[in-house]
């Protein structure tokens, strides 16, 4: 007997028939003798609908009230899923985040889980119940409803699995696993049987949307065995997310590159002619950080005239905020020549733990892009990743040629 947490995303619970389908799968696991905790998202489109309603009343909705509203999506699906299980003769009970007591901090719309009270769930499981828990939501110390950020149900699933000491956390979605890249862009993309946490983390942070990045961080930290599967496919094994140590003993040669991620979510801000002196990077990025704007890539280069060009990327939605924040500082005490923003960029990253032991990956990547005449605007690397910023209009081409160059389609 195992304890399994199964998380079902919005498309898996999009209508009553699909919810019945979820219940049938849960029933099969129960019949095998397992204990099951189910975490569900809202029906697909519902969270967006609720946010839209809030914005019709207040363009920039009050964060506390927004959480009160958007958390209702999941409250509907836990009830429906519990009913569907009962209809199959299975004992089931739904739980909101407050009812479990998924305690979070009070950062509305992007709260972090601080603690999970697993007591009630454990005793229900022991009594033979399937517990159906609302994803995405929690409660702060003052009893306010909070939500965990878009896609946050993944994090609920993983956090519950960690708190309950589950044997596996299964994430059911509309794709049957993690692919070498998005199959909608590259039809030859291949499903990976397994991938390491580190690679998954890089892919998620570089734009792969399969799992919410925080859920992957959480799973890595608490060593939760994570599997991504399709809820529309009866018997696929999906993709297992492993720890590098555990997958070492495989006799098969591991591929050097596991996947290619991309995103169009970032914008580039460049400050030209910055005096090259200590403290400049802090003077530029300090105010940006104080305004809670995330900075991703940063480059700085001293030119022949002794001044520096300073470039960094932020989320597209925050480009204008960052620009207006810095504009008078640039002219003022920073004493730089000019500042400008460009949101017509894309980031493309190749990821693989094999980079640690193989040289020449970067040069192969750059050669491949050069052969297509694609100009690289920025580069950043980690031990297992090389990311480039390019003109947005070449993104698809870049992903396709890199996928081919690194032979990701062939096994
Ligand atoms: N329903 C929430 C969203 O759409 C949470 C989730 O689906 O994971 O972002
Ligand atoms: Mg999701």
């Amino acid at each position: 007997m195992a304890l399994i947490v199964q998380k079902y995303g919005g498309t898996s619970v999009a209508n009553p028939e699909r919810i019945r389908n979820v219940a049938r799968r849960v029933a099969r696991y129960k019949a095998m003798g397992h204990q099951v905790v189910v975490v569900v998202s809202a029906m697909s489109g519902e969270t967006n609908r609720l946010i839209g309603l809030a914005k019709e009343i207040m363009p920039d909705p009050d964060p506390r009230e927004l959480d009160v509203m958007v958390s209702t999506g999941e409250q509907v699906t836990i009830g429906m899923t519990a009913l569907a299980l009962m209809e199959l003769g299975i004992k089931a009970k739904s739980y909101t985040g407050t009812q479990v007591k998924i305690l979070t901090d009070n950062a509305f719309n992007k709260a972090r889980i601080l603690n999970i009270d697993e007591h009630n769930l454990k005793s229900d499981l022991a009594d033979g119940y399937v517990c159906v828990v609302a994803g995405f939501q929690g409660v702060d110390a003052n009893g306010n409803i909070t939500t965990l950020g878009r896609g946050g149900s993944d994090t609920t699933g993983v956090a519950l699995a960690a708190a309950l000491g589950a044997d596996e956390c299964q994430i059911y979605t509309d794709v049957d696993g993690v692919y070498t890249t998005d199959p909608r862009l590259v039809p030859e993309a291949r499903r990976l049987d397994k991938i390491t946490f580190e690679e998954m983390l890089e892919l998620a942070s570089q734009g792969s949307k399969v799992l919410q990045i925080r859920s992957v961080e959480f799973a890595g930290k608490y060593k939760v065995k994570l599997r991504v599967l399709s809820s529309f496919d009866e018997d696929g094994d999906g993709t297992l997310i492993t720890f590098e140590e555990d997958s070492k003993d495989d006799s098969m040669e591991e591929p050097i590159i596991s996947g290619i991620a991309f995103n169009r979510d970032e914008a580039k801000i460049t400050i030209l002619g910055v005096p090259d002196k200590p403290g400049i990077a802090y003077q530029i990025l300090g105010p940006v950080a104080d305004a809670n704007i995330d900075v991703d890539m940063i480059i700085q280069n001293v030119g022949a005239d002794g001044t520096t060009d300073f470039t960094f990327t932020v989320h597209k939605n925050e480009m204008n905020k960052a620009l207006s924040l810095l504009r008078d500082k640039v002219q003022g005490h920073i004493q730089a020549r000019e500042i400008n923003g460009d949101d017509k960029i894309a980031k493309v990253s190749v990821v693989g733990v094999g980079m640690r032991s193989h040289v020449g990956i970067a040069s192969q990547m750059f050669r491949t892009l050069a052969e297509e005449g694609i100009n690289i605007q920025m580069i950043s690397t980690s031990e297992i990743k090389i990311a480039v910023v390019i003109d947005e209009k070449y993104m698809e081409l870049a992903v396709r040629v890199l996928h081919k160059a690194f032979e990701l389609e062939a096994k």
Side-chain angles (χ1 to χ4, degrees):
M1 184 194 78
L3 170 54
I4 296 169
V5 174
Q6 299 187 334
K7 180 262 170 179
Y8 292 91
T11 49
S12 308
V13 293
N15 55 49
E17 189 40 45
R18 289 192 183 168
I19 289 178
R20 276 191 208 104
N21 199 38
V22 165
R24 284 192 285 269
R25 183 185 302 269
V26 174
R28 285 201 297 279
Y29 274 83
K30 278 293 280 178
M32 290 185 253
H34 301 310
Q35 293 184 333
V36 189
V37 173
V38 179
V39 174
V40 288
S41 290
M43 293 175 164
S44 61
E46 179 64 5
T47 307
N48 286 341
R49 188 184 75 88
L50 293 165
I51 294 172
L53 283 177
K55 287 187 170 169
E56 274 187 46
I57 307 271
M58 188 189 281
D60 190 10
D62 176 83
R64 180 186 185 276
E65 304 314 322
L66 186 61
D67 277 353
V68 167
M69 289 181 67
V70 296
S71 61
T72 61
E74 275 75 9
Q75 191 167 332
V76 171
T77 48
I78 52 171
M80 290 179 77
T81 306
L83 292 177
L85 285 163
M86 289 173 185
E87 282 290 288
L88 297 178
I90 291 173
K91 283 161 71 177
K93 199 177 196 177
S94 66
Y95 280 89
T96 63
T98 306
Q99 288 172 322
V100 174
K101 199 144 185 197
I102 298 179
L103 183 71
T104 71
D105 61 20
N106 63 358
F108 296 113
N109 312 160
K110 51 173 187 230
R112 290 194 171 258
I113 296 176
L114 301 174
N115 186 56
I116 292 181
D117 182 350
E118 74 286 356
H119 189 256
N120 290 335
L121 298 180
K122 281 226 164 116
S123 72
D124 278 347
L125 288 170
D127 289 343
Y129 282 92
V130 170
C131 299
V132 186
V133 179
F136 179 53
Q137 56 176 265
V139 61
D140 75 4
N142 297 317
N144 296 303
I145 296 173
T146 56
T147 65
L148 309 178
R150 296 308 304 271
S153 300
D154 292 342
T155 299
T156 306
V158 174
L160 276 169
L164 294 165
D167 296 284
E168 186 165 302
C169 180
Q170 302 175 340
I171 306 276
Y172 287 92
T173 174
D174 51 356
V175 293
D176 61 353
V178 179
Y179 276 70
T180 49
T181 195
D182 189 337
R184 283 169 299 192
L185 214 75
V186 183
E188 297 78 24
R190 183 170 48 84
R191 184 180 59 78
L192 297 160
D193 291 328
K194 59 185 192 184
I195 184 169
T196 69
F197 268 95
E198 284 173 291
E199 289 169 320
M200 194 61 228
L201 207 52
E202 287 285 3
L203 288 176
S205 69
Q206 302 305 316
S208 160
K209 300 254 157 55
V210 184
L211 286 172
Q212 195 206 31
I213 178 159
R214 276 170 60 188
S215 72
V216 185
E217 283 166 5
F218 219 102
K221 186 161 163 199
Y222 294 99
K223 297 253 167 185
V224 174
K225 197 168 150 200
L226 200 58
R227 192 185 288 279
V228 176
L229 306 119
S230 164
S231 62
F232 303 106
D233 174 358
E234 292 287 285
D235 35 42
D237 287 330
T239 300
L240 182 66
I241 306 180
T242 61
F243 294 94
E244 214 178 327
E245 320 75 273
D246 303 342
S247 58
K248 273 277 162 57
D249 47 28
D250 278 359
S251 49
M252 252 188 331
E253 174 88 44
E254 296 287 335
I256 302 169
I257 300 301
S258 295
I260 299 178
F262 53 86
N263 80 59
R264 274 180 271 236
D265 299 339
E266 290 182 29
K268 184 176 81 166
I269 292 178
T270 303
I271 305 176
L272 297 166
V274 183
D276 182 30
K277 58 179 191 219
I280 280 294
Y282 175 65
Q283 279 178 38
I284 295 170
L285 296 179
V288 175
D290 291 344
N292 237 328
I293 299 173
D294 265 332
V295 171
D296 180 27
M297 287 185 177
I298 304 168
I299 50 170
Q300 171 191 274
N301 236 332
V302 182
D305 64 351
T307 66
T308 294
D309 291 346
F310 195 97
T311 306
F312 60 96
T313 63
V314 297
H315 195 278
K316 256 180 196 166
N317 295 340
E318 304 196 296
M319 181 181 83
N320 287 331
K321 189 169 160 199
L323 280 174
S324 61
L325 204 97
L326 287 171
R327 200 158 264 137
D328 36 305
K329 294 194 174 59
V330 161
Q331 246 71 95
H333 68 277
I334 295 178
Q335 289 186 308
R337 199 165 62 241
E338 66 178 86
I339 177 168
N340 46 55
D342 177 4
D343 63 359
K344 299 278 181 294
I345 59 163
K347 185 164 80 169
V348 176
S349 320
V350 302
V351 172
V353 288
M355 276 184 213
R356 288 206 184 104
S357 46
H358 289 77
V359 295
I361 306 302
S363 71
Q364 186 176 356
M365 179 179 191
F366 302 154
R367 174 167 22 98
T368 306
L369 295 174
E371 279 165 5
E372 299 296 328
I374 299 172
N375 186 42
I376 299 171
Q377 303 177 13
M378 296 175 83
I379 302 170
S380 85
T381 64
S382 78
E383 247 192 317
I384 64 164
K385 171 207 74 186
I386 304 165
V388 297
V389 166
I390 59 175
D391 187 327
E392 170 181 79
K393 66 173 184 273
Y394 297 119
M395 189 190 82
E396 295 198 19
L397 175 65
V399 174
R400 270 200 295 273
V401 293
L402 289 169
H403 197 269
K404 205 172 171 87
F406 288 108
E407 295 174 5
L408 290 175
E409 69 273 78
K411 184 82 201 208

